[in-house]
Amino acid sequence: MKLCLVLLALVGCVCAFSVPTQKVKIADKDFLEKQKFIFEMVYRVEDPLMFEEWIKMGQKLIVDKAQYKEFDFYMEKFWESYKLGALLPKGEFFGSLVKTHHKQAYGLFNFFYYANDWETFVHNVAWARIHVNEGMFVYALTLAVIHKPEFEGLILPQIYEIFPQYFFNSKFVYEAEKFDYEVFSKLIMYEKEYKDILYKDVSEFSDNFYFYTKDWKTWQWYKMMGLGQEWYVEDKYFLRENFETFNKDPKYVDIMKGLKKFYMPVDYTRDIDFFNAESKLSYFTEDLGWNAYWYYLNMDYAFFLNGKEFGLDKDRRGEFWIYNVQQILARYYQERLANGYGDIPEFFWYKQIEYGYDPQLIYYNGVGYSYRKNYYDYQTYGNFEMFNQIQNFFSRVYKVLETGYYKTADGVVIDLHKPEAIKFIGNYLQGNVDTYDKYFFNYFYMLSHMYFADVDFYDFEVSPNAFLNFETMLRDPFFYTFYKKFTEVYYQFKYYLKPYTQKDLAYEGIHIKDVSVSKLVTYYDIVDFDVTTLLNDKMTFVDGEFVWDKALLARQARLNHKPFDFEFTIDSDKVQKGVVRVFLGPKFDEYGRVIPLVYNSKNFVQIDSFVYPFVAGTNTIKRSSKEFTWTAEDRTTYTELYKYVMLATEGKYDFPLDISEPHNAFPDRLVLPKGWESGMPMQFYFFVSPYTEDYEQFSNFDYTYSSGVGSGTRFVDSKPFGYPFDRQIDEYTFFVPNGYFKDVKIFFVDTFAKYFEKKYAQFGTFDYSYFDF
């Protein structure tokens, strides 16, 4: 397993894995008991709790104030709401950006977070698992596990393993919930019948005659293998990019013995009702890793958590958040270019949204997610009070940026034309509690999402909508259109900062002579996602312990790339330390025109950065994409983690605290856009700056299993995020010896082409040689 302590995604600041010298810790018995409890609390969370030990513990919520570090207003209100029967009912849709839901979730989180000891925490979590809305429970528990200092090292399954309903279409969810092992065992004895005929053997005409349905899409790989959207027995292994690493581990092979595995092919959204071009990008916008990254970013830096109390201000929370938004939009734009599309559509308050969207999701209570038709007009909602309030937030921030300063309600004057003022702008745009004037700017962010989801100020029971939860909103193309408004404010702030001079950018004594880049190749690979929590089956217990003997897998094609390498040739006139940053950006727009750097700087995504000790003379540095410190390969699944914990509990396995990739890592496979078969022109920018920090990175957290959220020592240096692209570009002064542009091409390999050319010999079975190319 890749030992990667990822720090950030899309920012690429060097993190703990750049110096992997600290010995990995092994979990003790106490830790294993805690980890087992966490895993069992979120198993099939929409079903009743079946673990007798925890049912006994969950009979009451601890409300004795002496058992808490703090017992605040939100906890009081939560307990009062429960006594009055006013909590969000179980089975109802929970939206973390619905104001009424948020207040209750905040109170529940505090019951978890402020608990003085483990016993109190267990009582509260078990009680909440039985009595509280499922979505609210998982949201509050996730925040507690991430932020409670005593829980460092504890992990939860990925959000798409807890709630697959947020990530897979309703057709798959229905099939998973209907899966019956006993019935399935009988069905597989009979010959399969295919509803969608792709190949026909007509020997009198041809040995290779075939045809396929006209709505076939590249990522519907299963049709070309003769598979339908139904359940199949998996008798080999979980598919993922690093499966060989797992299969070579004898302990892994041992724990997987006897596990019955079943997979079902899964498609992405194909809008047959809304004919618009945006559906072509669903393989990217609906990617599980892409959506999970945004979810965990907003869990790490939750807008309602106090920056001083949780240490988030040490991590420059506001600046980091808005920079991530900018990088997400830049990466999305690169993917649009790879598919022949241009700029992200603009959002106008009084103009229709051209592209509709149907997420084709279903909530676990059976209610489908709301959709948006083509040419939708948001301003016709009739909720003009909320509409005007959101508009006024943007108008206000533009006005204060133009004025250059802001005077808060208590008389403090803030200069907004200084570089360090980015923290105020970032906090404002996120709408977090550290914003510079809570009276005017609080809850702006939440209200905007409520408005676009047609939720009023005090609505309680609301319809499922992708815009109300972080884990679903990136699926909707409108996310990128609306969030472009956020980055426009960000760029407007940068506009008032003077461009860097050549003296600012130059690193005396450093000269990048050349950088060679290996061939960049992308392709679709196929992966299994663990969706066992959808299993509608009896739970088996032996001697009071749960026996996890079945696994349901969603088998899906997704974008990936071959590993690639850099080789730097850098001259230095003396021994010195520097920070090497690597950016990837487009070169041409959708019409083939060169994009001027002054406009193109916002389209570069930082994919790597690292500290390097230069020696006097020529330095040759070799670096692989596998060494990127902010990315992760496929994670250890929920099924595997639980089995590892149980084996360790029996004393048969040393459970390392870094057994799984950090929750907030960016998927390694999405570093590069899809590219073209003929080669998509792109460009790298390499930049070396002095390393001059007076603090020691990772000095206050264990980097072998923690990403250090709120530690203040996560980042390699204190340069602005995106440096040197963080200001307006003056091309007369931007080019310096310690910066280097490199033209490259990204080649897409069509791994499905072999199925077009001739009939697959083992038609009707999965092709395990698919990955051989």
Side-chain angles (χ1 to χ4, degrees):
M1 285 166 245
K2 178 182 175 186
L3 279 181
C4 186
L5 258 185
V6 161
L7 192 64
L8 316 169
L10 293 177
V11 176
C13 297
V14 170
C15 72
F17 295 132
S18 56
V19 283
T21 56
Q22 189 163 329
K23 186 177 180 180
V24 176
K25 292 183 178 179
I26 301 300
D28 57 21
K29 184 178 180 180
D30 180 61
F31 181 92
L32 291 171
E33 288 176 355
K34 293 177 179 178
Q35 186 62 78
K36 177 175 175 287
F37 170 75
I38 294 292
F39 283 158
E40 292 178 348
M41 282 298 98
V42 293
Y43 182 73
R44 286 162 60 170
V45 72
E46 67 271 18
D47 292 340
L49 183 62
M50 299 299 291
F51 297 89
E52 290 188 12
E53 178 183 2
W54 310 133
I55 293 174
K56 294 175 183 176
M57 296 284 283
Q59 294 307 303
K60 63 176 182 178
L61 180 69
I62 305 297
V63 292
D64 180 4
K65 295 183 180 181
Q67 300 301 315
Y68 297 93
K69 299 180 179 71
E70 183 179 327
F71 201 95
D72 68 0
F73 167 81
Y74 289 98
M75 297 167 75
E76 296 273 12
K77 286 296 181 182
F78 180 87
W79 178 236
E80 185 179 329
S81 297
Y82 171 72
K83 290 188 293 182
L84 295 173
L87 286 181
L88 182 67
K90 288 175 72 71
E92 287 295 327
F93 172 76
F94 168 75
S96 58
L97 291 174
V98 175
K99 192 172 182 179
T100 51
H101 297 185
H102 158 71
K103 289 184 175 181
Q104 292 187 355
Y106 194 0
L108 181 61
F109 162 71
N110 287 347
F111 270 106
F112 296 163
Y113 182 79
Y114 290 124
N116 275 333
D117 50 51
W118 175 254
E119 186 178 356
T120 302
F121 176 79
V122 169
H123 275 288
N124 290 349
V125 171
W127 176 88
R129 172 68 173 81
I130 297 169
H131 296 92
V132 175
N133 175 274
E134 301 85 351
M136 184 183 296
F137 167 73
V138 170
Y139 180 74
L141 181 62
T142 301
L143 285 166
V145 171
I146 291 174
H147 291 284
K148 199 166 172 62
E150 306 93 292
F151 293 172
E152 191 172 47
L154 289 176
I155 54 177
L156 279 164
Q158 285 288 295
I159 186 62
Y160 49 76
E161 295 177 321
I162 300 174
F163 282 130
Q165 300 93 333
Y166 292 158
F167 298 89
F168 296 104
N169 61 50
S170 56
K171 180 178 181 180
F172 170 78
V173 173
Y174 279 133
E175 292 295 332
E177 292 182 339
K178 289 190 299 181
F179 179 81
D180 186 307
Y181 174 68
E182 298 299 329
V183 174
F184 179 84
S185 300
K186 295 174 184 177
L187 284 176
I188 60 175
M189 293 188 296
Y190 299 97
E191 186 178 358
K192 301 171 187 174
E193 293 183 5
Y194 294 97
K195 307 299 183 185
D196 226 345
I197 300 174
L198 299 180
Y199 292 91
K200 272 190 177 180
D201 284 319
V202 188
S203 55
E204 63 267 25
F205 295 110
S206 168
D207 290 332
N208 292 318
F209 178 77
Y210 72 92
F211 66 93
Y212 52 87
T213 54
K214 67 179 182 179
D215 69 336
W216 184 84
K217 299 287 185 183
T218 302
W219 49 87
Q220 287 179 285
W221 52 272
Y222 51 88
K223 289 188 176 182
M224 305 310 289
M225 292 184 189
L227 302 174
Q229 283 193 281
E230 57 189 84
W231 292 103
Y232 298 91
V233 174
E234 171 53 70
D235 58 357
K236 293 185 182 291
Y237 43 77
F238 290 9
L239 292 183
R240 53 186 144 202
E241 59 186 332
N242 51 348
F243 66 85
E244 290 181 353
T245 307
F246 289 83
N247 294 343
K248 290 177 181 177
D249 181 359
K251 283 291 184 185
Y252 175 77
V253 175
D254 185 48
I255 69 166
M256 299 303 283
K257 284 181 180 177
L259 180 70
K260 300 180 183 70
K261 303 182 289 292
F262 310 91
Y263 75 88
M264 181 182 197
V266 186
D267 194 8
Y268 292 99
T269 297
R270 292 178 296 128
D271 283 336
I272 57 175
D273 295 317
F274 306 128
F275 293 99
N276 66 59
E278 297 295 325
S279 294
K280 189 177 180 181
L281 286 166
S282 62
Y283 72 90
F284 181 75
T285 58
E286 296 179 8
D287 185 276
L288 271 67
W290 178 249
N291 283 271
Y293 172 71
W294 176 246
Y295 170 77
Y296 286 114
L297 172 71
N298 285 280
M299 293 294 100
D300 289 348
Y301 298 95
F303 64 93
F304 60 91
L305 299 184
N306 184 278
K308 284 188 170 58
E309 180 180 357
F310 292 87
L312 306 184
D313 55 348
K314 299 176 188 175
D315 290 345
R316 298 185 275 166
R317 68 179 303 178
E319 180 187 358
F320 182 50
W321 186 87
I322 187 57
Y323 179 62
N324 268 272
V325 171
Q326 185 269 324
Q327 291 281 274
I328 284 172
L329 265 61
R331 178 64 186 86
Y332 175 66
Y333 174 65
Q334 292 180 10
E335 204 63 34
R336 290 179 65 86
L337 288 177
N339 286 275
Y341 301 154
D343 287 339
I344 299 171
E346 298 283 345
F347 174 72
F348 300 97
W349 296 106
Y350 297 100
K351 186 178 177 181
Q352 293 175 329
I353 306 300
E354 180 179 356
Y355 298 116
Y357 180 64
D358 181 0
Q360 298 181 7
L361 297 177
I362 186 168
Y363 204 58
Y364 55 77
N365 62 4
V367 178
Y369 274 63
S370 56
Y371 65 89
R372 181 182 65 256
K373 63 183 181 181
N374 285 336
Y375 297 100
Y376 194 77
D377 196 345
Y378 273 117
Q379 60 132 343
T380 59
Y381 268 6
N383 192 345
F384 297 112
E385 180 184 357
M386 189 180 288
F387 182 73
N388 292 333
Q389 195 169 346
I390 298 166
Q391 276 187 300
N392 288 339
F393 280 120
F394 280 101
S395 300
R396 182 182 291 273
V397 76
Y398 276 119
K399 184 176 180 180
V400 297
L401 279 175
E402 184 179 348
T403 304
Y405 69 91
Y406 183 79
K407 189 173 183 180
T408 65
D410 55 1
V412 177
V413 177
I414 301 170
D415 187 343
L416 294 177
H417 285 177
K418 289 184 177 181
E420 52 269 26
I422 182 59
K423 69 178 182 181
F424 299 112
I425 300 299
N427 288 341
Y428 160 72
L429 290 173
Q430 190 192 10
N432 66 49
V433 295
D434 293 340
T435 191
Y436 51 86
D437 202 329
K438 296 180 178 59
Y439 181 78
F440 288 109
F441 297 119
N442 230 0
Y443 284 107
F444 138 75
Y445 180 79
M446 180 181 288
L447 289 182
S448 63
H449 280 263
M450 289 170 61
Y451 178 77
F452 292 120
D454 194 17
V455 177
D456 209 341
F457 290 102
Y458 302 109
D459 283 353
F460 195 56
E461 295 184 4
V462 302
S463 298
N465 190 287
F467 235 53
L468 294 175
N469 281 310
F470 297 108
E471 58 268 44
T472 55
M473 62 180 67
L474 264 65
R475 299 171 62 93
D476 189 344
F478 178 67
F479 170 90
Y480 309 94
T481 294
F482 179 61
Y483 273 65
K484 200 172 178 181
K485 299 287 288 183
F486 291 69
T487 58
E488 286 170 359
V489 174
Y490 179 63
Y491 297 138
Q492 186 68 17
F493 166 77
K494 298 292 186 180
Y495 173 80
Y496 290 107
L497 304 180
K498 293 181 180 179
Y500 290 116
T501 65
Q502 205 159 47
K503 185 179 179 181
D504 294 330
L505 296 174
Y507 186 0
E508 188 176 347
I510 292 289
H511 183 197
I512 303 179
K513 301 286 288 185
D514 184 41
V515 183
S516 62
V517 184
S518 63
K519 189 174 182 180
L520 305 175
V521 178
T522 63
Y523 62 98
Y524 284 118
D525 77 349
I526 300 174
V527 67
D528 287 333
F529 292 106
D530 189 350
V531 295
T532 309
T533 53
L534 290 176
L535 184 63
N536 185 18
D537 192 26
K538 293 179 181 178
M539 293 177 63
T540 303
F541 291 85
V542 176
D543 296 330
E545 295 293 349
F546 173 48
V547 179
W548 194 309
D549 59 351
K550 301 182 188 71
L552 292 188
L553 307 171
R555 185 160 290 183
Q556 192 173 50
R558 77 315 174 49
L559 183 64
N560 205 338
H561 66 81
K562 290 285 189 180
F564 56 93
D565 305 291
F566 301 119
E567 184 170 318
F568 301 81
T569 303
I570 303 175
D571 287 346
S572 176
D573 65 354
K574 60 184 178 182
V575 175
Q576 54 190 326
K577 254 186 188 179
V579 178
V580 182
R581 288 176 167 85
V582 182
F583 298 84
L584 176 65
K587 192 172 181 66
F588 304 100
D589 66 11
E590 70 274 26
Y591 300 110
R593 302 172 301 195
V594 174
I595 310 175
L597 186 59
V598 66
Y599 303 116
N600 201 23
S601 60
K602 65 183 179 181
N603 298 321
F604 279 80
V605 174
Q606 187 169 341
I607 66 169
D608 190 24
S609 65
F610 58 95
V611 177
Y612 190 80
F614 293 100
V615 299
T618 300
N619 295 259
T620 301
I621 309 170
K622 294 183 178 181
R623 190 162 177 88
S624 167
S625 60
K626 293 288 186 181
E627 298 177 80
F628 291 174
T629 56
W630 55 279
T631 61
E633 293 184 334
D634 290 329
R635 293 172 170 83
T636 311
T637 67
Y638 189 3
T639 296
E640 294 162 338
L641 286 170
Y642 187 79
K643 285 186 164 290
Y644 273 127
V645 166
M646 296 307 293
L647 197 67
T649 303
E650 296 169 8
K652 299 177 182 178
Y653 176 69
D654 290 335
F655 187 90
L657 297 191
D658 68 342
I659 192 170
S660 185
E661 302 282 8
H663 65 275
N664 53 8
F666 186 76
D668 165 76
R669 53 193 170 73
L670 294 182
V671 167
L672 301 179
K674 179 181 172 183
W676 305 336
E677 292 188 48
S678 59
M680 178 184 177
M682 297 285 284
Q683 56 185 328
F684 282 111
Y685 180 65
F686 307 94
F687 187 78
V688 183
S689 59
Y691 181 73
T692 58
E693 302 305 323
D694 57 1
Y695 66 83
E696 185 178 348
Q697 197 177 14
F698 323 126
S699 57
N700 59 353
F701 67 93
D702 189 331
Y703 61 75
T704 60
Y705 58 85
S706 171
S707 54
V709 174
S711 67
T713 61
R714 296 186 68 186
F715 310 135
V716 65
D717 61 18
S718 55
K719 294 286 188 187
F721 296 121
Y723 174 80
F725 288 126
D726 62 302
R727 294 194 191 179
Q728 291 282 312
I729 299 293
D730 182 347
E731 294 193 33
Y732 290 101
T733 62
F734 187 77
F735 295 93
V736 289
N738 50 300
Y740 188 87
F741 282 95
K742 177 77 173 184
D743 289 346
V744 294
K745 286 187 176 181
I746 299 176
F747 295 89
F748 173 71
V749 175
D750 188 355
T751 44
F752 300 107
K754 56 187 176 184
Y755 303 110
F756 305 156
E757 297 164 0
K758 61 180 180 178
K759 176 183 173 180
Y760 167 46
Q762 303 297 322
F763 190 73
T765 61
F766 182 77
D767 183 7
Y768 286 93
S769 67
Y770 166 82
F771 302 95
D772 301 333
F773 70 94

